[in-house]
Amino acid sequence: MIKEYISKVNTIENQIRKERKSYGTLSFFRLVSFFSSVVMIIAGITDNNTIYLLAGIALLVAFIVLLRIHAKIDNRLTGLKARKEVVEGYIARLDGTWGSFPDNGSDFLLNDDTVSRDIDLLGPYSLYQFISLAHTEVGRRKLAETVSLRTISKDKISERYEAVEELSKKADFVEGFESISRRISKRKRRKELQYIEEKKYRLSAVVPFLMVLIPAVNILVITLAVLGLVSPNLILGAFALCLIFTMGCSNIRDKFMYPIHVLGYSSQDFYMLLKEISEEDFESGILKGIKEEVQGKEGLMSAIKKLSALGEADNISFNPLVHMILNGLFGWDMWLTFIAAGWNKKYSGAITKSVDIIGDVEELISLAVISILNKTSRPVVREVGESDVIVDARQIYHPLIGGGRAVANSVKIDHGTTVITGSNMSGKTTFLRTVAINMALAYMGAAVCAEKMELGFMKLFTSMRVMDDVAGGVSTFYAEILRIKEMAEYISDEENKEAPAACFIDEIFKGTNSADRIVGAENAIRKLSLGKGFVIVSTHDFELCELKEADGKEVTNYHFEEYYENDELKFDYKIKDGRCTTRNAKTLLRMAGLMD
């Protein structure tokens, strides 16, 4: 698969080289036409030569045409560069260098979101960083809310999975859609897109008056000058006066043109994204609904297309000299203001709706990345029964361990307590995270990294990366107590029966001495085992393997272990039934040169 993506990159690079060559040639002619027009216009005015003046105006028109063509080539170049970055992103995900992606979702990570930190849902080297194809602020926010499980709904898992599965089979659509949305991230003022207020203003009568007056005055003066009835110098005076009138109405213009200014070239990107949705055939309910919104009676596609054309005309204002000439000759800003007022009156709210729709698609295509790049399956999510196995996973593996390095395991997790023992570095913590992150994927409506996975719908709790708080006077041990207290309070609350707790605890109470740790762990585990869910604990304390739950039931034991080959310590990272019987701390200390 990685060779296929590398071949794509090479093809795109060849296309970029051709476009750059055209871009350079056109830049030269654009520069020549501009300076020639300036020279001819000045010569025509100073020498009272009408032919020079008309030739200068013709060259100015040619310059504007070349400017448009140049902009289109630049737009194609931007698109090709974005496409190349998208394909390189897939290569990075496959070769394990995706940790360098700049967007890891840390800005959405809440202080109290311990689950997202512990099982790498948000933040550096997280699921969000690995899968995110979202480049609009709304899309990024929606993906972060989904990945952190803030917006999950048990009733929507099935229909969301159908949408995500369909997208995973449309890799070309996903790649093309991200290529266009990635261009938006390169535009200025991207973050303002989610805060656009589409207000309705009343258009001043001054605008249509100046729209007619300014070009009429200029045509009249130029005609009289050509006929020799007035001095050509009067053309410059009329131009200056019209420019003053236009610039004096800039406050009116800004009110109507603000959304267009914020979007800029992105209005073209938004139209292209909506067009991608409109032209694709979908079967799943969610995607068909999105397509219907785009093609609906309200004319969303038409609205954004017209806005795109208006935005393209407005982009001329970024060239101050051309902008000044157009304003002085035609009252350019007044025409744009009039058109923008009409658009706002007819299509108010279209920008907000478009941004929201595009954000929804970005969130869904991001979840599809898991299946595009990995062997996955559809999880079966059901209600948690009284005696059922809560999690039944066959050949489950961690989605973030790439390059064929992930070791798959099969496991069944029952109600009550599961204790996992094992020597250092044998895979206990990774296994806990593997089960938890795949449970999270299932609840998001995504595929899971397993041959098969059946699970109950539960609320995830974790106690893994527990940190002390020096400023708050909270030790590591007490911080872990607070985490486990939160689990116990949730389990004891009668209102939480619909979503039982799934508690993952790594190295329980490692922040205190062994005697207190064992006593504390025994009592905590008994409390947590009272619920309808489960608690899975990793530990080095073999005493916990003999623990009995509150109802007298024995805990379930699994373990990981090391083996030796040619006097070298090795691990197979395979989970096994029963408790661990080996230790390797002394071996590791000797290997590090810290023990004889």
Side-chain angles (χ1 to χ4, degrees):
M1 185 181 283
I2 198 165
K3 289 181 180 178
E4 179 186 334
Y5 286 119
I6 291 171
S7 177
K8 277 188 181 181
V9 169
N10 293 334
T11 302
I12 295 168
E13 284 177 343
N14 289 333
Q15 292 173 322
I16 288 173
R17 279 192 288 270
K18 289 178 183 177
E19 291 291 352
R20 278 181 176 157
K21 188 176 179 180
S22 300
Y23 186 89
T25 303
L26 203 63
S27 295
F28 171 76
F29 286 110
R30 190 184 71 168
L31 191 65
V32 169
S33 63
F34 174 73
F35 282 110
S36 298
S37 69
V38 171
V39 170
M40 296 296 280
I41 289 171
I42 293 172
I45 293 172
T46 55
D47 297 343
N48 290 331
N49 190 316
T50 305
I51 296 175
Y52 283 176
L53 182 63
L54 293 175
I57 293 171
L59 283 167
L60 181 62
V61 171
F63 167 72
I64 293 170
V65 171
L66 288 172
L67 198 66
R68 248 181 100 78
I69 298 171
H70 196 265
K72 287 182 179 179
I73 294 176
D74 184 57
N75 204 33
R76 287 200 298 269
L77 265 173
T78 303
L80 286 168
K81 289 174 184 175
R83 189 89 180 207
K84 181 187 172 187
E85 288 177 8
V86 166
V87 178
E88 286 174 340
Y90 284 103
I91 294 171
R93 291 180 180 97
L94 289 168
D95 67 16
T97 58
W98 55 271
S100 61
F101 292 170
D103 184 17
N104 59 33
S106 292
D107 47 332
F108 299 107
L109 185 56
L110 304 179
N111 291 332
D112 61 349
D113 190 356
T114 55
V115 174
S116 290
R117 282 190 175 85
D118 283 354
I119 62 173
D120 303 306
L121 297 178
L122 291 171
Y125 297 94
S126 65
L127 178 68
Y128 176 99
Q129 187 177 20
F130 180 79
I131 67 173
S132 180
L133 306 183
H135 299 285
T136 68
E137 288 301 304
V138 173
R140 292 182 65 245
R141 173 175 52 78
K142 287 190 173 193
L143 178 61
E145 288 173 352
T146 296
V147 165
S148 61
L149 307 179
R150 288 175 222 160
T151 55
I152 62 164
S153 169
K154 178 175 62 177
D155 301 328
K156 293 182 179 179
I157 290 174
S158 180
E159 62 176 343
R160 280 179 58 79
Y161 176 82
E162 288 171 4
V164 172
E165 182 188 36
E166 183 175 3
L167 288 169
S168 71
K169 295 174 182 176
K170 294 178 178 289
D172 288 339
F173 170 81
V174 171
E175 189 180 307
F177 195 91
E178 193 207 350
S179 297
I180 301 169
S181 69
R182 181 178 280 271
R183 290 162 51 152
I184 296 173
S185 69
K186 296 180 182 299
R187 311 295 191 190
K188 293 180 180 179
R189 309 172 80 172
R190 178 187 73 172
K191 291 191 176 182
E192 290 185 45
L193 287 175
Q194 61 180 325
Y195 304 116
I196 291 178
E197 294 184 31
E198 298 176 64
K199 295 179 180 179
K200 289 188 177 181
Y201 296 104
R202 187 171 182 176
L203 186 66
S204 170
V206 173
V207 174
F209 176 72
L210 289 177
M211 281 171 58
V212 177
L213 180 65
I214 290 172
V217 167
N218 281 299
I219 291 170
L220 178 62
V221 173
I222 291 171
T223 303
L224 292 173
V226 170
L227 295 173
L229 298 175
V230 297
S231 170
N233 291 330
L234 195 60
I235 295 174
L236 195 58
F239 172 84
L241 186 63
C242 291
L243 182 62
I244 291 169
F245 280 139
T246 308
M247 300 304 288
C249 296
S250 60
N251 60 326
I252 300 173
R253 174 188 185 274
D254 290 344
K255 283 194 297 187
F256 290 97
M257 295 297 292
Y258 169 71
I260 291 94
H261 278 160
V262 172
L263 284 172
Y265 279 112
S266 295
S267 57
Q268 298 171 30
D269 300 331
F270 273 64
Y271 173 71
M272 289 170 67
L273 288 169
L274 294 177
K275 190 178 178 184
E276 289 278 313
I277 296 168
S278 176
E279 293 178 350
E280 190 69 30
D281 293 324
F282 295 115
E283 297 296 328
S284 62
I286 290 178
L287 294 173
K288 284 173 77 173
I290 289 172
K291 182 174 178 176
E292 285 170 10
E293 277 193 277
V294 171
Q295 296 179 326
K297 294 178 181 178
E298 296 179 10
L300 191 62
M301 281 279 289
S302 176
I304 301 302
K305 185 176 184 179
K306 289 175 182 177
L307 185 69
S308 174
L310 184 58
E312 195 173 344
D314 178 59
N315 286 329
I316 292 175
S317 64
F318 292 107
N319 188 313
L321 188 57
V322 175
H323 186 220
M324 184 177 69
I325 292 169
L326 290 174
N327 267 332
L329 289 176
F330 308 110
W332 184 257
D333 282 356
M334 296 302 96
W335 285 89
L336 291 184
T337 302
F338 183 79
I339 297 169
W343 186 93
N344 187 51
K345 185 177 180 181
K346 187 175 181 180
Y347 300 113
S348 180
I351 297 174
T352 304
K353 191 172 182 181
S354 298
V355 170
D356 197 55
I357 286 172
I358 289 163
D360 285 336
V361 177
E362 284 185 311
E363 181 241 346
L364 291 170
I365 64 172
S366 295
L367 294 177
V369 167
I370 293 291
S371 294
I372 291 172
L373 298 178
N374 296 285
K375 291 181 179 179
T376 57
S377 64
R378 179 172 188 164
V380 177
V381 182
R382 48 178 169 66
E383 296 285 348
V384 176
E386 292 293 335
S387 58
D388 299 334
V389 173
I390 301 181
V391 176
D392 184 357
R394 184 189 305 154
Q395 295 302 301
I396 189 172
Y397 65 95
H398 202 294
L400 304 185
I401 303 176
R405 294 181 295 112
V407 176
N409 279 291
S410 298
V411 69
K412 291 183 179 181
I413 301 174
D414 296 318
H415 288 277
T417 305
T418 298
V419 175
I420 298 181
T421 48
S423 50
N424 296 290
M425 298 166 50
S426 58
K428 302 186 300 298
T429 304
T430 300
F431 177 75
L432 261 62
R433 292 198 175 108
T434 298
V435 175
I437 199 169
N438 275 288
M439 289 180 73
L441 282 171
Y443 300 151
M444 294 172 205
V448 293
C449 294
E451 283 185 8
K452 168 198 166 186
M453 188 175 187
E454 293 184 20
L455 68 158
F457 184 78
M458 310 181 76
K459 181 175 175 60
L460 300 183
F461 288 91
T462 58
S463 177
M464 295 181 181
R465 291 189 176 111
V466 183
M467 303 287 289
D468 61 355
D469 181 1
V470 177
V474 177
S475 68
T476 303
F477 176 57
Y478 190 63
E480 189 175 2
I481 288 175
L482 294 177
R483 293 257 194 120
I484 294 175
K485 179 187 176 185
E486 182 186 4
M487 300 176 192
E489 288 177 344
Y490 181 88
I491 290 168
S492 63
D493 190 341
E494 291 294 318
E495 294 183 2
N496 297 321
K497 287 185 177 179
E498 287 189 10
C503 305
F504 295 85
I505 305 175
D506 184 37
E507 302 290 355
I508 187 167
F509 294 143
K510 55 184 171 289
T512 190
N513 65 77
S514 58
D516 288 343
R517 179 170 61 249
I518 293 166
V519 172
E522 288 176 347
N523 284 279
I525 290 170
R526 286 196 183 100
K527 264 193 177 301
L528 297 178
S529 68
L530 292 170
K532 284 180 64 180
F534 67 79
V535 53
I536 180 167
V537 178
S538 72
T539 183
H540 285 286
D541 297 314
F542 294 161
E543 292 87 344
L544 298 183
C545 298
E546 310 297 332
L547 180 66
K548 291 187 178 182
E549 298 172 4
D551 60 359
K553 176 187 171 185
E554 291 185 353
V555 299
T556 303
N557 281 284
Y558 290 107
H559 74 279
F560 290 86
E561 62 186 16
E562 78 282 5
Y563 67 96
Y564 294 87
E565 192 174 281
N566 298 324
D567 292 329
E568 289 185 14
L569 178 65
K570 294 192 175 182
F571 305 95
D572 60 11
Y573 305 113
K574 301 294 288 185
I575 195 167
K576 301 171 180 66
D577 291 333
R579 54 172 287 179
C580 180
T581 58
T582 62
R583 303 174 189 269
N584 67 2
K586 290 180 180 179
T587 302
L588 291 172
L589 287 167
R590 279 196 295 271
M591 288 170 63
L594 300 175
M595 186 174 180
D596 293 333

